[in-house]
């Protein structure tokens, strides 16, 4: 979404925003059922948010994928009232996780500045980081991504959900991104259950006031995570 469209959206719709960034591993090991289940889960998330009359104008979604040799922004922050279909996901390549998180945080910084420039309030952004492996990109990029993410979390400027997929997910690295909450492991391929929970959580947030503490549905986590 180019700058003119992003700005017009804020002028036309001054509703307070819930920015959500999905930072998704689409490396070669996600081929087959995992990437298909992930695709269906993201589409379910889009559909559920759009069906909520408040959330469809408040929740903005950005999708950054990491596979190949570099991360890719498939969808910049945009309201789902304007976007019915989730971008198409395909698996292949390596796992440049640090580069992807840095891209996601840069996009978020830009969007937050646009909110401020146009007087649009917003809740703490959400970053969902999902991977089935270990990062194998640039070490400096990874360390920078971890440091920036933990600073934002500690300053109460970001909510992070690190989620491992399968037995080879590096839970130790995921834990470094989340100083307040341990990473969770997806139970099997329950992407749909996770994204259903996520849509309900962000919808609940969108119906509160920015700055208000909204308790997470921790019981609902049992429906998709290994506890």
């Amino acid at each position: 979404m180019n700058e003119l469209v992003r700005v017009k959206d804020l002028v036309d719709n001054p509703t307070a925003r819930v920015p959500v960034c999905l930072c998704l591993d689409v490396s070669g090991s996600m081929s087959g059922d995992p990437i298909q289940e992930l695709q269906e889960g993201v589409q379910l998330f889009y559909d559920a948010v759009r069906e909520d009359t408040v959330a469809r104008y408040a929740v903005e979604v950005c999708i950054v994928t990491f596979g190949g040799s570099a991360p890719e922004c498939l969808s910049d922050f945009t309201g789902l009232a304007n976007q019915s279909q989730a971008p198409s996901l395909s698996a292949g390549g390596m796992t440049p996780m640090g580069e992807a998180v840095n891209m996601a945080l840069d996009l978020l910084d830009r969007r937050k500045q646009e909110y401020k420039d146009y007087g649009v309030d917003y809740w703490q952004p959400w970053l969902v980081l999902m991977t089935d492996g270990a990062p194998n990109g640039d070490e400096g990029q990874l360390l920078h991504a971890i440091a920036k993410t933990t600073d934002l979390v500690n300053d109460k400027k970001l909510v992070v959900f690190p989620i491992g997929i399968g037995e080879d997910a590096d839970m130790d690295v995921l834990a470094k991104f989340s100083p307040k909450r341990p990473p969770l492991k997806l139970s099997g391929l329950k992407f749909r259950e996770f994204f259903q929970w996520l849509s309900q959580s962000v919808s609940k947030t969108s119906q509160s006031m920015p700055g208000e503490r909204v308790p997470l549905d921790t019981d609902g986590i049992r429906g998709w995570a290994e506890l």
Side-chain angles (χ1 to χ4, degrees), residues 23 96-105 127 129 138-153 158 160 173 176-178:
C23 198
M97 185 191 299
E99 290 87 336
V101 173
N102 286 326
M103 174 183 282
L105 295 179
L127 173 66
L129 176 60
D138 182 80
E139 182 73 15
Q141 289 262 1
L142 180 66
L143 293 174
H144 178 75
I146 290 169
K148 184 169 182 179
T149 303
T150 54
D151 284 349
L152 288 168
V153 171
L158 186 68
V160 177
V173 167
K176 293 177 181 178
F177 282 95
S178 186

Side-chain angles (χ1 to χ4, degrees), residues 3 5 31 34 40 69 73 83 118 180 211:
E3 185 176 359
V5 176
S31 295
E40 292 176 4
S69 58
C73 175
Q83 185 178 358
Y118 289 88
K180 302 286 190 183

Side-chain angles (χ1 to χ4, degrees), residues 108-149:
L108 178 59
D109 282 344
R110 185 184 66 189
R111 192 54 169 162
K112 287 194 298 185
Q113 187 59 53
E114 290 169 350
Y115 295 153
K116 293 169 186 173
D117 290 346
Y118 289 88
V120 173
D121 211 345
Y122 62 93
W123 285 269
Q124 274 192 68
W126 291 44
L127 173 66
V128 175
L129 176 60
M130 304 186 86
T131 183
D132 73 339
N136 52 24
D138 182 80
E139 182 73 15
Q141 289 262 1
L142 180 66
L143 293 174
H144 178 75
I146 290 169
K148 184 169 182 179
T149 303

Side-chain angles (χ1 to χ4, degrees), residues 161-205:
F161 277 96
I163 298 169
I165 305 162
E167 294 305 312
D168 295 327
D170 191 331
M171 303 303 285
D172 292 336
V173 167
L174 287 176
K176 293 177 181 178
F177 282 95
S178 186
K180 302 286 190 183
R181 183 186 297 112
L184 294 167
K185 181 168 284 192
L186 198 69
S187 178
L189 293 177
K190 289 190 174 181
F191 290 103
R192 291 175 66 87
E193 290 84 351
F194 165 72
F195 282 106
Q196 186 70 52
W197 173 87
L198 181 65
S199 68
Q200 292 168 351
S201 299
V202 297
S203 292
K204 188 174 181 181
T205 298

Side-chain angles (χ1 to χ4, degrees), residues 44-141:
L44 181 148
F45 176 62
Y46 272 51
D47 294 343
V49 171
R50 290 179 72 247
E51 289 167 7
D52 185 301
T53 53
V54 176
R56 68 182 306 190
Y57 294 108
V59 176
E60 292 194 339
V61 180
C62 170
I63 296 182
V64 172
T65 58
F66 50 106
S69 58
E72 184 177 1
C73 175
L74 296 187
S75 176
D76 204 342
F77 283 101
T78 184
L80 297 189
N82 305 317
Q83 185 178 358
S84 60
Q85 290 296 313
S88 179
L89 305 176
S90 58
M94 306 295 281
T95 314
M97 185 191 299
E99 290 87 336
V101 173
N102 286 326
M103 174 183 282
L105 295 179
D106 287 346
L107 291 167
L108 178 59
D109 282 344
R110 185 184 66 189
R111 192 54 169 162
K112 287 194 298 185
Q113 187 59 53
E114 290 169 350
Y115 295 153
K116 293 169 186 173
D117 290 346
Y118 289 88
V120 173
D121 211 345
Y122 62 93
W123 285 269
Q124 274 192 68
W126 291 44
L127 173 66
V128 175
L129 176 60
M130 304 186 86
T131 183
D132 73 339
N136 52 24
D138 182 80
E139 182 73 15
Q141 289 262 1

